[in-house]
Amino acid sequence: MDLKTLYRDIILDHYKRPRNTGALEHPSVEARCKNPACGDRVLLQLSVADGRVAQVGLQGTGCAVSQASASMMTEAVKGARLEDARAKLHEFRRMLVDGVDEAQLDKQVLGDLLTLQGVAKLHARVKCALCGWSALEAALDQREDEVDLELDKSLPEAKAGGM
Amino acid sequence: MSVETTALDTADCACLSPAEVRDDFPALSRRVGDYPLAYLDNTAATLKPRAVIESIARFYADCPANVHRGIHLLSEEATDAYESARGKVARFINAPRADEVVFTRNTTEGLNLLAYSYAMPRLKPGDEILSTVMEHHANIIPWQIVAEHTGCTLRFARIQPNGQLDLDDWHSKLNERTKIATCAHVSNVLGVVNPVRELAQAAHRVGAVFIVDGAQSAPHMPVDVRELGCDFFSCSAYKLLGPFGIGALWGRYELLESMPPYQTGGSMIHTVMLEGTSFALPPQRFEAGTPAIGDSVGFGAAIDYITGIGMDRLHAREVQLSAYLHHRLGEVPGLRVIGDWYPGKPGIASFVMDCAHPHDVAQFLNEEGVAVRAGHHCAAPLHTFLDIEATTRASLYLYNTEAEVDQLITALGTVREIFS
């Protein structure tokens, strides 16, 4: 999928109309992630009930890739069992960070998220796409400190901070 | 913002025409997918002419021996090549003496050298360092370290809304406690040219030394350190068509002579005994270990190339193309250049767009062959001061053309179309 199509068909929809935005009234857990090189920020709230993600509240600013990916994440996990949310997170990281081939990805788990596979080749944008997902991971792990993607050694070195 | 577009026809101008030079740059024949490369990221790094590439290859083929007058022929040749390059740098900036030029890795290392060797031993609590909010991190962080270690105070002069240094603020912050004043000669984000001569005079009146970050000026305009009246000037080769990995720090000899070394080891010594060591005179005192000899040759070749063109012609051409760039950017709805255009503004335009984040902009520009940079450009405090997250920056050099500016504008049209 070329860049224009990726943006036109998927990213821009979520960028202009992000899903599940706003603060939750009674969040069970809250997590934050930032990508300093790009200025992307995500504040994610989840309310968890009966082992499921009952409600999701997303607040964020940043580039189209980061906000769209975070928005798609909220759609993917809303209503999901916690272990299924983790499975999606794991598979998304395999697709985006490990650059695993489409043939070896679990399409059932990923669903629509597969459309973001093109971002894996845009090395400078991987952290952007991960911002919302790293917030999800922190929320599921109930970690309170803001995740800073610049300090995450598991991620590719390339960054768009610039000279 | 209205931009005077004086004659855009380069035939009328006593300045350089890019057609004279473009064939010298192999990278200019690269394509990005279906598009010709429009390389507009010159503030970050410049492309290299064949003369520079070949000079380095020739050095490595002919005389890749170590310097310092080892008695054999190849060592003599390598030493001559290295010292000849030093002389070229000295002449390029009109330094009074070649031994006032220290080879460094880059502008950043030169500024760090000054922080450690000039400032650390001298500054005390109560002393002040005056920098500005527009500085590159290399001209902020070393002074933060100095302040932390010595207890001195670091202050920053502000900028005006048009991007120019707020001279009233600068003068109000300069006082008899100021021991070091420093600024960029040309801002890598705003493209403004600071009045170094005036600032250096003011600094001297209060007994401070004046340090110039010349990374963005040395490549783009004639630089004369005597005329500027500064005490130190740091610059990089890779921003003026030279190789990566080498730069130069110029400093007044009496100041360099008073400074302890930055790094120690081989080459920078006078006498070494187990009980203690005495150090060489400048510049060797500040060049520990085996230097980047091949890169010094490339640095010299780059200086030969641009002085062969003539810095006045190069500068005049850049100012002309910069006017065109700003004029065309001014026509793009929802786009704002940070740092107003003014007659003579260097070819640096950092901008924000209403419809898209700089990284998305840069992504789509790349799709159409246009290379720009997005982010804070190692000037995060400046962006914070302006309350802007990030900017997209287009920056010009001698080989760029009006057609490449047009290519940028067309690609920005694509961004607007996709994001609206």
Side-chain angles (χ1 to χ4, degrees):
Chain A
M1 186 187 296
D2 71 35
L3 193 81
K4 261 191 205 170
T5 312
L6 175 65
Y7 269 74
R8 271 205 173 110
D9 291 1
I10 293 134
I11 289 180
L12 283 171
D13 177 32
H14 280 271
Y15 184 50
K16 291 176 184 170
R17 295 182 312 115
R19 320 300 201 244
N20 301 304
T21 57
L24 296 184
E25 270 197 46
H26 303 291
S28 320
V29 68
E30 177 178 296
R32 289 166 294 133
C33 182
K34 69 180 176 187
N35 178 16
C38 194
D40 307 323
R41 275 191 202 82
V42 166
L43 166 59
L44 179 69
Q45 295 174 322
L46 306 178
S47 72
V48 176
D50 299 325
R52 283 184 185 274
V53 177
Q55 295 283 351
V56 187
L58 173 69
Q59 295 169 76
T61 56
C63 71
V65 170
S66 72
Q67 301 307 299
S69 178
S71 169
M72 290 176 75
M73 175 274 294
T74 67
E75 279 193 325
V77 304
K78 186 172 179 180
R81 295 158 57 81
L82 292 176
E83 53 267 34
D84 291 335
R86 278 196 191 277
K88 287 182 200 286
L89 167 63
H90 176 75
E91 205 60 13
F92 188 78
R93 283 187 79 105
R94 284 186 73 230
M95 177 176 80
L96 205 62
V97 180
D98 302 336
V100 166
D101 226 41
E102 186 167 339
Q104 290 167 340
L105 291 170
D106 190 331
K107 294 189 185 49
Q108 254 201 333
V109 164
L110 281 173
D112 285 343
L113 298 168
L114 199 54
T115 54
L116 288 182
Q117 193 184 24
V119 180
K121 286 193 306 282
L122 308 175
H123 295 141
R125 311 304 297 283
V126 166
K127 282 179 184 167
C128 304
L130 269 181
C131 202
W133 292 87
S134 295
L136 173 69
E137 186 172 37
L140 293 174
D141 292 345
Q142 298 187 64
R143 277 181 280 126
E144 283 182 4
D145 294 337
E146 183 175 35
V147 179
D148 184 329
L149 291 176
E150 283 296 292
L151 305 177
D152 185 340
K153 293 297 260 178
S154 74
L155 298 179
E157 280 304 313
K159 56 182 182 173
M163 211 25 78
Chain B
M1 168 198 74
S2 80
V3 175
E4 276 171 47
T5 45
T6 48
L8 298 173
D9 177 2
T10 56
D12 284 358
C13 175
C15 59
L16 168 70
S17 161
E20 289 173 45
V21 301
R22 284 181 67 87
D23 285 341
D24 295 338
F25 293 83
L28 285 177
S29 61
R30 297 225 32 204
R31 295 184 72 81
V32 182
D34 294 334
Y35 291 84
L37 171 67
Y39 186 80
L40 303 179
D41 193 22
N42 292 286
T43 304
T46 57
L47 305 179
K48 316 305 172 196
R50 243 173 236 102
V52 166
I53 300 167
E54 285 163 8
S55 75
I56 299 171
R58 230 180 357 259
F59 168 79
Y60 279 104
D62 290 349
C63 55
N66 211 327
V67 292
H68 302 308
R69 313 249 169 243
I71 290 171
H72 63 87
L73 176 66
L74 266 61
S75 173
E76 281 284 343
E77 288 176 349
T79 306
D80 287 343
Y82 186 63
E83 294 304 328
S84 156
R86 190 191 307 279
K88 287 179 182 176
V89 174
R91 282 188 297 282
F92 182 61
I93 58 175
N94 198 30
R97 308 163 58 149
D99 58 4
E100 291 182 333
V101 172
V102 175
F103 279 123
T104 58
R105 281 187 312 136
N106 45 38
T107 307
T108 297
E109 183 166 68
L111 295 167
N112 272 271
L113 192 162
L114 292 173
Y116 281 93
S117 289
Y118 182 81
M120 290 281 201
R122 279 182 170 77
L123 268 63
K124 311 175 303 297
D127 290 342
E128 295 185 8
I129 299 174
L130 178 57
S131 181
T132 84
V133 300
M134 72 169 80
E135 299 306 306
H136 185 287
H137 296 163
N139 211 21
I140 295 178
I141 304 167
W143 311 120
Q144 290 177 332
I145 305 291
V146 170
E148 207 177 290
H149 282 250
T150 65
C152 75
T153 305
L154 175 56
R155 307 178 73 178
F156 297 94
R158 292 193 309 259
I159 55 172
Q160 302 172 55
N162 64 2
Q164 299 285 342
L165 184 63
D166 183 336
L167 291 174
D168 290 339
D169 190 56
W170 191 88
H171 283 285
S172 79
K173 286 172 173 157
L174 183 79
N175 61 73
E176 66 281 357
R177 294 185 301 276
T178 312
K179 296 291 174 273
I180 294 172
T182 182
C183 73
H185 197 175
V186 174
S187 161
N188 71 313
V189 175
L190 304 166
V192 298
V193 181
N194 288 314
V196 162
R197 196 155 172 271
E198 177 199 327
L199 300 179
Q201 282 172 351
H204 291 153
R205 279 197 292 273
V206 300
V209 296
F210 196 82
I211 296 172
V212 177
D213 171 355
Q216 298 302 336
S217 64
H220 297 277
M221 59 183 62
V223 165
D224 181 334
V225 293
R226 289 187 243 195
E227 196 266 332
L228 291 176
C230 55
D231 299 287
F232 297 101
F233 184 96
S234 190
C235 65
S236 299
Y238 70 93
K239 295 203 204 269
L240 47 78
L241 310 183
F244 296 95
I246 192 164
L249 171 68
W250 170 81
R252 292 188 191 279
Y253 191 81
E254 63 272 21
L255 294 177
L256 291 175
E257 203 184 7
S258 73
M259 288 158 54
Y262 173 44
Q263 294 183 337
T264 54
S267 311
M268 49 74 67
I269 52 91
H270 176 264
T271 313
V272 184
M273 295 185 295
L274 290 180
E275 301 77 28
T277 293
S278 61
F279 301 113
L281 296 171
Q284 287 78 16
R285 183 185 300 174
F286 303 102
E287 295 181 358
T290 298
I293 311 161
D295 293 329
S296 76
V297 170
F299 197 171
I303 288 173
D304 287 341
Y305 187 89
I306 53 177
T307 51
I309 284 164
M311 293 308 291
D312 286 314
R313 292 180 71 220
L314 187 154
H315 177 60
R317 163 58 185 166
E318 186 174 315
V319 160
Q320 179 194 63
L321 188 62
S322 177
Y324 182 69
L325 169 66
H326 284 80
H327 173 72
R328 295 238 50 205
L329 287 173
E331 292 172 335
V332 179
L335 184 150
R336 181 167 67 98
V337 174
I338 311 300
D340 292 359
W341 181 84
Y342 59 94
K345 183 180 178 186
I348 298 174
S350 302
F351 58 89
V352 292
M353 296 181 80
D354 292 343
C355 63
H357 186 285
H359 286 93
D360 296 307
V361 173
Q363 195 81 67
F364 277 99
L365 261 41
N366 180 57
E367 284 292 291
E368 296 191 18
V370 180
V372 296
R373 196 151 287 258
H376 50 61
H377 316 296
C378 292
L382 172 62
H383 284 73
T384 304
F385 183 84
L386 295 169
D387 200 23
I388 297 172
E389 194 67 65
T391 49
T392 308
R393 183 186 65 192
S395 51
L396 309 173
Y397 207 21
L398 74 171
Y399 35 67
N400 290 128
T401 63
E402 280 75 1
E404 288 172 329
V405 171
D406 295 340
Q407 193 176 334
L408 163 69
I409 301 302
T410 302
L412 289 174
T414 303
V415 171
R416 289 190 63 236
E417 181 210 311
I418 294 195
F419 278 82
S420 64

PDB file of all heavy atoms in Angstrom, chain A residues 88-99:
ATOM      1  N   LYS A  88      -3.260  -8.581  21.207  1.00  0.00           N
ATOM      2  CA  LYS A  88      -3.217  -7.599  20.107  1.00  0.00           C
ATOM      3  C   LYS A  88      -1.972  -6.723  20.224  1.00  0.00           C
ATOM      4  O   LYS A  88      -1.309  -6.428  19.228  1.00  0.00           O
ATOM      5  CB  LYS A  88      -4.476  -6.725  20.127  1.00  0.00           C
ATOM      6  CG  LYS A  88      -5.735  -7.448  19.669  1.00  0.00           C
ATOM      7  CD  LYS A  88      -6.937  -6.521  19.675  1.00  0.00           C
ATOM      8  CE  LYS A  88      -8.235  -7.289  19.714  1.00  0.00           C
ATOM      9  NZ  LYS A  88      -8.568  -7.936  18.440  1.00  0.00           N
ATOM     10  N   LEU A  89      -1.673  -6.307  21.440  1.00  0.00           N
ATOM     11  CA  LEU A  89      -0.495  -5.481  21.685  1.00  0.00           C
ATOM     12  C   LEU A  89       0.762  -6.222  21.236  1.00  0.00           C
ATOM     13  O   LEU A  89       1.614  -5.681  20.532  1.00  0.00           O
ATOM     14  CB  LEU A  89      -0.422  -5.146  23.178  1.00  0.00           C
ATOM     15  CG  LEU A  89       0.877  -4.562  23.723  1.00  0.00           C
ATOM     16  CD1 LEU A  89       1.164  -3.216  23.091  1.00  0.00           C
ATOM     17  CD2 LEU A  89       0.781  -4.415  25.242  1.00  0.00           C
ATOM     18  N   HIS A  90       0.849  -7.475  21.637  1.00  0.00           N
ATOM     19  CA  HIS A  90       2.015  -8.296  21.309  1.00  0.00           C
ATOM     20  C   HIS A  90       2.160  -8.438  19.793  1.00  0.00           C
ATOM     21  O   HIS A  90       3.249  -8.283  19.238  1.00  0.00           O
ATOM     22  CB  HIS A  90       1.848  -9.668  21.972  1.00  0.00           C
ATOM     23  CG  HIS A  90       2.945 -10.639  21.632  1.00  0.00           C
ATOM     24  ND1 HIS A  90       4.202 -10.557  22.170  1.00  0.00           N
ATOM     25  CD2 HIS A  90       2.957 -11.702  20.788  1.00  0.00           C
ATOM     26  CE1 HIS A  90       4.957 -11.540  21.683  1.00  0.00           C
ATOM     27  NE2 HIS A  90       4.229 -12.240  20.834  1.00  0.00           N
ATOM     28  N   GLU A  91       1.040  -8.740  19.131  1.00  0.00           N
ATOM     29  CA  GLU A  91       1.076  -8.945  17.676  1.00  0.00           C
ATOM     30  C   GLU A  91       1.366  -7.643  16.956  1.00  0.00           C
ATOM     31  O   GLU A  91       2.061  -7.603  15.937  1.00  0.00           O
ATOM     32  CB  GLU A  91      -0.252  -9.547  17.216  1.00  0.00           C
ATOM     33  CG  GLU A  91      -0.176 -10.340  15.939  1.00  0.00           C
ATOM     34  CD  GLU A  91       0.772 -11.513  16.007  1.00  0.00           C
ATOM     35  OE1 GLU A  91       1.217 -11.905  17.121  1.00  0.00           O
ATOM     36  OE2 GLU A  91       1.106 -12.048  14.946  1.00  0.00           O
ATOM     37  N   PHE A  92       0.853  -6.532  17.479  1.00  0.00           N
ATOM     38  CA  PHE A  92       1.102  -5.229  16.862  1.00  0.00           C
ATOM     39  C   PHE A  92       2.585  -4.884  16.930  1.00  0.00           C
ATOM     40  O   PHE A  92       3.172  -4.389  15.975  1.00  0.00           O
ATOM     41  CB  PHE A  92       0.249  -4.143  17.542  1.00  0.00           C
ATOM     42  CG  PHE A  92       0.294  -2.824  16.846  1.00  0.00           C
ATOM     43  CD1 PHE A  92      -0.443  -2.611  15.686  1.00  0.00           C
ATOM     44  CD2 PHE A  92       1.068  -1.781  17.338  1.00  0.00           C
ATOM     45  CE1 PHE A  92      -0.409  -1.389  15.027  1.00  0.00           C
ATOM     46  CE2 PHE A  92       1.108  -0.550  16.676  1.00  0.00           C
ATOM     47  CZ  PHE A  92       0.374  -0.359  15.528  1.00  0.00           C
ATOM     48  N   ARG A  93       3.204  -5.159  18.066  1.00  0.00           N
ATOM     49  CA  ARG A  93       4.644  -4.918  18.211  1.00  0.00           C
ATOM     50  C   ARG A  93       5.442  -5.815  17.265  1.00  0.00           C
ATOM     51  O   ARG A  93       6.435  -5.398  16.684  1.00  0.00           O
ATOM     52  CB  ARG A  93       5.102  -5.141  19.646  1.00  0.00           C
ATOM     53  CG  ARG A  93       4.757  -3.998  20.594  1.00  0.00           C
ATOM     54  CD  ARG A  93       5.385  -4.179  21.964  1.00  0.00           C
ATOM     55  NE  ARG A  93       6.785  -3.803  21.966  1.00  0.00           N
ATOM     56  CZ  ARG A  93       7.274  -2.679  22.499  1.00  0.00           C
ATOM     57  NH1 ARG A  93       6.462  -1.817  23.067  1.00  0.00           N
ATOM     58  NH2 ARG A  93       8.564  -2.423  22.470  1.00  0.00           N
ATOM     59  N   ARG A  94       4.989  -7.046  17.116  1.00  0.00           N
ATOM     60  CA  ARG A  94       5.680  -7.965  16.180  1.00  0.00           C
ATOM     61  C   ARG A  94       5.627  -7.385  14.766  1.00  0.00           C
ATOM     62  O   ARG A  94       6.592  -7.431  14.022  1.00  0.00           O
ATOM     63  CB  ARG A  94       5.026  -9.347  16.184  1.00  0.00           C
ATOM     64  CG  ARG A  94       5.370 -10.179  17.408  1.00  0.00           C
ATOM     65  CD  ARG A  94       4.809 -11.597  17.267  1.00  0.00           C
ATOM     66  NE  ARG A  94       5.546 -12.390  16.299  1.00  0.00           N
ATOM     67  CZ  ARG A  94       5.009 -13.101  15.302  1.00  0.00           C
ATOM     68  NH1 ARG A  94       3.700 -13.122  15.124  1.00  0.00           N
ATOM     69  NH2 ARG A  94       5.774 -13.800  14.483  1.00  0.00           N
ATOM     70  N   MET A  95       4.476  -6.831  14.408  1.00  0.00           N
ATOM     71  CA  MET A  95       4.306  -6.286  13.062  1.00  0.00           C
ATOM     72  C   MET A  95       5.149  -5.028  12.873  1.00  0.00           C
ATOM     73  O   MET A  95       5.830  -4.866  11.863  1.00  0.00           O
ATOM     74  CB  MET A  95       2.822  -5.959  12.826  1.00  0.00           C
ATOM     75  CG  MET A  95       2.555  -5.324  11.481  1.00  0.00           C
ATOM     76  SD  MET A  95       0.791  -5.054  11.194  1.00  0.00           S
ATOM     77  CE  MET A  95       0.504  -3.551  12.123  1.00  0.00           C
ATOM     78  N   LEU A  96       5.100  -4.157  13.864  1.00  0.00           N
ATOM     79  CA  LEU A  96       5.660  -2.827  13.689  1.00  0.00           C
ATOM     80  C   LEU A  96       7.140  -2.742  14.070  1.00  0.00           C
ATOM     81  O   LEU A  96       7.932  -2.126  13.366  1.00  0.00           O
ATOM     82  CB  LEU A  96       4.863  -1.848  14.552  1.00  0.00           C
ATOM     83  CG  LEU A  96       4.889  -0.423  14.079  1.00  0.00           C
ATOM     84  CD1 LEU A  96       4.276  -0.319  12.697  1.00  0.00           C
ATOM     85  CD2 LEU A  96       4.110   0.448  15.040  1.00  0.00           C
ATOM     86  N   VAL A  97       7.501  -3.340  15.198  1.00  0.00           N
ATOM     87  CA  VAL A  97       8.865  -3.194  15.704  1.00  0.00           C
ATOM     88  C   VAL A  97       9.759  -4.298  15.152  1.00  0.00           C
ATOM     89  O   VAL A  97      10.871  -4.050  14.699  1.00  0.00           O
ATOM     90  CB  VAL A  97       8.891  -3.226  17.248  1.00  0.00           C
ATOM     91  CG1 VAL A  97      10.321  -3.071  17.754  1.00  0.00           C
ATOM     92  CG2 VAL A  97       8.019  -2.117  17.810  1.00  0.00           C
ATOM     93  N   ASP A  98       9.260  -5.532  15.173  1.00  0.00           N
ATOM     94  CA  ASP A  98      10.057  -6.650  14.684  1.00  0.00           C
ATOM     95  C   ASP A  98       9.977  -6.771  13.171  1.00  0.00           C
ATOM     96  O   ASP A  98      10.762  -7.501  12.573  1.00  0.00           O
ATOM     97  CB  ASP A  98       9.596  -7.954  15.338  1.00  0.00           C
ATOM     98  CG  ASP A  98       9.686  -7.896  16.859  1.00  0.00           C
ATOM     99  OD1 ASP A  98      10.491  -7.088  17.370  1.00  0.00           O
ATOM    100  OD2 ASP A  98       8.956  -8.635  17.541  1.00  0.00           O
ATOM    101  N   GLY A  99       9.018  -6.076  12.553  1.00  0.00           N
ATOM    102  CA  GLY A  99       8.906  -6.118  11.092  1.00  0.00           C
ATOM    103  C   GLY A  99       8.590  -7.497  10.559  1.00  0.00           C
ATOM    104  O   GLY A  99       9.021  -7.861   9.468  1.00  0.00           O
TER     105      GLY A  99
END
